[in-house]
Amino acid sequence: MSIKEPLKTVLRKYCHVECYDPQLIREAISTGKGFPYDVNLFKAQLREAIDNRLISLEEYEELTEEDFDSREDLQTWLEEFWSELP
């Protein structure tokens, strides 16, 4: 599956292994500053991707350079990311 926009860009920008900080995305979403994406669309896409296991290990690694050992580890991480969103 090809990850839809804006989810793809948000993952690349906010979840990259070298710059991930949950506070950054919380602040960007809460204030709207630096987050020019439709928050509701992004959150709906993320929830759908988690529920339907739409993001492969390869796709996620390509976007974020984060390497997971299994699909379950990625799913756990995506749930954690989801729980940190405002």
Side-chain angles (χ1 to χ4, degrees):
M1 179 212 161
S2 182
I3 301 171
K4 299 175 186 175
E5 290 296 345
L7 178 58
K8 183 176 185 175
T9 298
V10 172
L11 291 175
R12 183 183 304 119
K13 183 174 181 179
Y14 290 96
C15 294
H16 193 278
V17 71
E18 293 180 4
C19 66
Y20 177 70
D21 179 351
Q23 187 60 30
L24 291 177
I25 193 164
R26 280 195 298 270
E27 287 176 6
I29 289 174
S30 297
T31 65
K33 295 178 182 173
F35 197 83
Y37 314 105
D38 181 325
V39 173
N40 293 326
L41 176 59
F42 153 66
K43 290 171 87 172
Q45 288 175 337
L46 179 59
R47 187 74 256 163
E48 177 186 27
I50 293 169
D51 292 346
N52 297 308
R53 301 172 70 92
L54 299 178
I55 301 174
S56 72
L57 293 171
E58 295 79 18
E59 287 174 310
Y60 194 83
E61 183 176 351
E62 183 179 313
L63 289 174
T64 67
E65 296 186 21
E66 180 74 47
D67 186 25
F68 289 95
D69 293 330
S70 70
R71 187 78 180 247
E72 289 70 32
D73 289 346
L74 174 58
Q75 285 297 117
T76 299
W77 159 242
L78 291 172
E79 283 288 357
E80 184 179 319
F81 178 56
W82 171 260
S83 72
E84 293 173 347
L85 297 175

